[in-house]
Amino acid sequence: MNRVQVILTLDMENLPSNFSEILKQEQEVVAKWKEQGILEHLFLREAKNGAVLIFKEVDEQQAKELMQTLHFYQLKKSVEYFNLIQQF
């Protein structure tokens, strides 16, 4: 079972005034991904400047396409993708 870890860092110095509205929309999208079984985990970063997402059963290209649908993607400072192999 493959996993893709995505580390998203937001540009906290250039957040729009409607950030809280965007956050609510993003939470709805993430909940949908969890229901669909393609998002295994979502961790907020301790510094509150981004998140770590663990996708399952998607490849890196699919993870990139999914991430690009998020409004937060447009507010990114950086985004990193890591292909993971689960060890049993």
Side-chain angles (χ1 to χ4, degrees), residues 1 3 7 17 31 33-34 55 67 69 71:
M1 217 184 294
R3 303 282 192 277
I7 301 175
S17 59
W33 289 348
K34 284 188 174 187
F55 289 97
M67 290 299 295
T69 67
H71 293 289

Side-chain angles (χ1 to χ4, degrees), residues 1 9 11 13 17 24 30 33-34 40 43 47 49-50 55 65-66 71 75 77-78 81-83:
M1 217 184 294
T9 303
D11 182 1
E13 295 177 16
S17 59
K24 185 177 179 180
V30 168
W33 289 348
K34 284 188 174 187
E40 186 170 37
F43 300 95
N49 65 342
F55 289 97
E65 291 170 6
L66 288 165
H71 293 289
L75 306 174
K77 187 174 191 176
S78 67
Y81 298 88
F82 298 94
N83 291 292

Side-chain angles (χ1 to χ4, degrees), residues 11-44:
D11 182 1
M12 300 303 286
E13 295 177 16
N14 294 302
L15 296 180
S17 59
N18 65 339
F19 181 78
S20 59
E21 293 172 30
I22 295 171
L23 177 61
K24 185 177 179 180
Q25 293 170 351
E26 300 297 67
Q27 290 170 336
E28 292 171 3
V29 171
V30 168
K32 183 186 244 185
W33 289 348
K34 284 188 174 187
E35 287 175 19
Q36 294 171 342
I38 58 175
L39 183 66
E40 186 170 37
H41 297 291
L42 168 70
F43 300 95
L44 299 180

